[in-house]
Amino acid sequence: MQKQEQLYEGKAKKVFKTDDPNLLIVDYKDDATAFNGLKKGTIIGKGVINNRMSNLLMQRLEKDGIPTHFVEELSERETLVKKVSIVPLEVIIRNISAGSFAKRFGVDEGIVFDEPTIEFSYKNDELGDPLMNAYHAIALKLATREEIETIKKYAFAVNESLKKFWAECGVTLVDFKLEFGKTSSGEIVLADEISPDTCRLWDSKTNEKLDKDRFRRDLGGVEDAYAEVMKRLTAHI
Ligand code: TMP
């Protein structure tokens, strides 16, 4: 597959055209940002880990009946994916209180919910990714009611699949963010990435943070945490 001109550069990935109009190449960087780009840094080796981890998890999700954009891993940092138009919603599932949930509602981190929660943010950096509900998304024509229902169904299915898998690895899946896209034929598929950048992953025994919160909160040991979750994943996948 021939890599052609760069289409887009995001905070953590670059996206390139290919000679097939329905396929793109994503190239994972080591750049890390937080707080809508206000905090910037590098997590050495992150691109390699996130590329591999996201691909392994998406292949697993495909087996569980969740369609994804994944096509083929091309190199340590590059993956061939289906070209989709991204639904501009950040879809967040939570199993345990943490992060903005704990802050917004004034509760401690670590409260285990009886049922997972779902929330949407409007993917818009200028506005700071504001929280929105499904009615707002439909009103703004970001997605149809049917598409939102499909996205919700897939997001909860991703949670069931990944929660079980990470538990086998000795990791608690606290929360995560998904993005979905629409293919040229109108199919909704899971897109973007699933990695320690986009999930909160805690050691099941100690609750030690093994994800990007180590970078966001200056906890140190960022690279080691990414390597640790990757090691546990490859031992169990
Ligand atoms: P939050 O608690 O800060 O809202 O984050 C919820 C989850 O979403 C957490 O696993 C981190 C992930 N996330 C992203 O992937 N990208 C983002 O821009 C933000 C704010 C959170």
Side-chain angles (χ1 to χ4, degrees):
M1 187 57 55
Q2 204 56 46
K3 197 170 178 180
Q4 294 187 348
E5 84 249 32
Q6 186 175 305
L7 255 189
Y8 172 79
E9 178 162 4
K11 285 180 260 192
K13 298 185 283 296
K14 295 178 186 173
V15 182
F16 295 86
K17 282 189 175 176
T18 68
D19 39 27
D20 183 329
N22 290 314
L23 297 175
L24 300 174
I25 291 172
V26 293
D27 188 337
Y28 284 74
K29 306 188 286 184
D30 285 350
D31 299 354
T33 66
F35 315 117
N36 201 14
L38 277 174
K39 182 182 172 87
K40 289 192 176 69
T42 304
I43 301 173
I44 297 161
K46 166 172 93 81
V48 173
I49 288 176
N50 287 8
N51 182 40
R52 187 102 194 93
M53 185 181 292
S54 192
N55 292 340
L56 289 169
L57 292 176
M58 286 207 189
Q59 288 172 83
R60 193 179 177 90
L61 292 171
E62 290 269 1
K63 287 201 189 109
D64 285 345
I66 299 144
T68 78
H69 72 166
F70 175 78
V71 178
E72 188 190 351
E73 190 168 297
L74 299 176
S75 73
E76 270 195 326
R77 289 178 185 270
E78 293 168 309
T79 294
L80 189 66
V81 297
K82 290 176 195 160
K83 181 177 178 170
V84 295
S85 69
I86 291 285
V87 177
L89 290 174
E90 301 207 336
V91 180
I92 294 162
I93 297 272
R94 301 179 193 268
N95 296 306
I96 296 177
S97 65
S100 69
F101 182 98
K103 195 165 176 214
R104 182 175 313 117
F105 299 120
V107 297
D108 287 340
E109 294 203 320
I111 303 166
V112 180
F113 304 148
D114 290 341
E115 286 179 30
T117 68
I118 190 164
E119 71 208 39
F120 302 113
S121 290
Y122 181 22
K123 197 173 144 59
N124 184 319
D125 282 344
E126 270 171 41
L127 298 176
D129 298 338
L131 203 60
M132 66 165 35
N133 66 31
Y135 293 94
H136 298 147
I138 294 165
L140 292 173
K141 298 193 168 36
L142 306 182
T144 65
R145 181 184 298 272
E146 292 70 32
E147 286 165 355
I148 299 265
E149 284 311 312
T150 303
I151 286 170
K152 279 165 65 176
K153 181 182 78 178
Y154 288 156
F156 284 120
V158 167
N159 186 43
E160 289 313 310
S161 174
L162 294 189
K163 210 168 44 173
K164 188 161 155 276
F165 172 68
W166 280 119
E168 291 166 16
C169 305
V171 171
T172 304
L173 179 61
V174 174
D175 58 30
F176 56 95
K177 184 266 297 180
L178 301 174
E179 292 182 28
F180 290 86
K182 222 157 88 165
T183 64
S184 53
S185 57
E187 190 196 8
I188 293 282
V189 301
L190 181 61
D192 193 51
E193 68 180 90
I194 308 174
S195 71
D197 274 20
T198 62
C199 303
R200 284 197 174 91
L201 303 167
W202 294 355
D203 180 274
S204 301
K205 288 204 184 88
T206 64
N207 282 350
E208 185 192 357
K209 297 182 197 308
L210 298 172
D211 57 63
K212 194 177 164 189
D213 268 351
R214 301 204 74 85
F215 169 80
R216 293 189 189 98
R217 302 178 187 191
D218 295 323
L219 299 176
V222 187
E223 279 89 357
D224 287 349
Y226 277 65
E228 176 62 26
V229 273
M230 188 63 203
K231 190 179 94 187
R232 294 195 198 179
L233 176 142
T234 39
H236 285 88
I237 202 112

